[in-house]
Amino acid sequence: MLLEVKGLCVNYGRIEAIRDISFTVEEGEIVTLIGANGAGKTTTMKTVSGLRPVRAGSVVFNGQDITHLPSHERPVLGISQSPEGRGCFVGMTVMENLDMGTYARPDRKSKAVKDDLERVFELFPRLKERSNQAAGSMSGGEQQMLAMGRALMAKPKLLLLDEPSMGLAPKLIQQIFDIVTEINSQGTTVLLVEQNAAQALKRSHRAYILETGEIVREGTGKDLADDPAVKAAYLGGDV
């Protein structure tokens, strides 16, 4: 088991954002968390990456309990996040942003990093074209590609993708999901938070549905996509 979350509870002050949730991600999977705004999806991601403290429960990654491990130490273990809102360093160039993704790598001066950069450029040719351009001057779609590319430069065992399609045009959304599938096929395990449930379930091995901080349903991507209740609530009646 690559990631195992057990009985996780997270608060914002007195507000319970996540209540006793448990889920797993196995190596090689795409696992998606879907749910309405405020369901606790992003809080879950931030907790896995160490950005939110845990009130109760545990997070175990690759056999190691990381529940209270500082966030800056988690990339060293193999967890990397492309955050909601992209979080690009807007005053830095594309190349500088990508280089920031390597900061935790012990081999950051090696040929392996150059190979990973080439892989990122193959996945996102636009980034190679704009390598010397300031991130803040690029479109939303290009910044999303940059956020994902930067996360990949950490060479993660587990890639956390939080709302990668948010605010993008339909054609670009399809492209982003194609790239997510390709990243996974190349061997990277993906935990995905996504409001575009139709696309997410189509690409996922398994998925969990969150409502008001609790997991209310789980299953394979196909089973949930075919479920009439899920279709009505999240898929506009159809996939």
Side-chain angles (χ1 to χ4, degrees), residues 66-83:
I66 62 167
T67 308
H68 303 294
L69 189 73
S71 58
H72 68 273
E73 294 184 23
R74 300 193 188 198
V76 180
L77 298 180
I79 298 174
S80 185
Q81 182 169 10
S82 173

Side-chain angles (χ1 to χ4, degrees), residues 9 43 51 86 91 99 112 131 166 173 183 193 206-208 210 233:
C9 300
T43 299
L51 298 174
R86 297 152 195 151
D99 186 55
S131 58
M166 181 182 286
I173 289 172
I183 288 169
V193 159
R206 295 185 300 112
Y208 296 85
L210 276 76

Side-chain angles (χ1 to χ4, degrees), residues 132-202:
N132 294 315
Q133 185 171 329
S137 68
M138 300 200 304
S139 70
E142 290 165 343
Q143 288 189 30
Q144 182 59 58
M145 294 175 187
L146 180 56
M148 292 170 67
R150 181 184 60 197
L152 285 172
M153 287 303 295
K155 203 166 189 175
K157 294 183 178 76
L158 177 64
L159 175 63
L160 308 178
L161 293 178
D162 195 349
E163 301 286 8
S165 77
M166 181 182 286
L168 303 184
K171 185 177 180 182
L172 194 50
I173 289 172
Q174 181 70 44
Q175 183 182 351
I176 289 292
F177 276 105
D178 286 345
I179 291 168
V180 171
T181 302
E182 177 61 24
I183 288 169
N184 179 247
S185 74
Q186 292 179 5
T188 304
T189 305
V190 177
L191 178 60
L192 173 67
V193 159
E194 182 54 57
Q195 285 198 0
N196 189 326
Q199 283 284 352
L201 291 178
K202 190 186 299 183

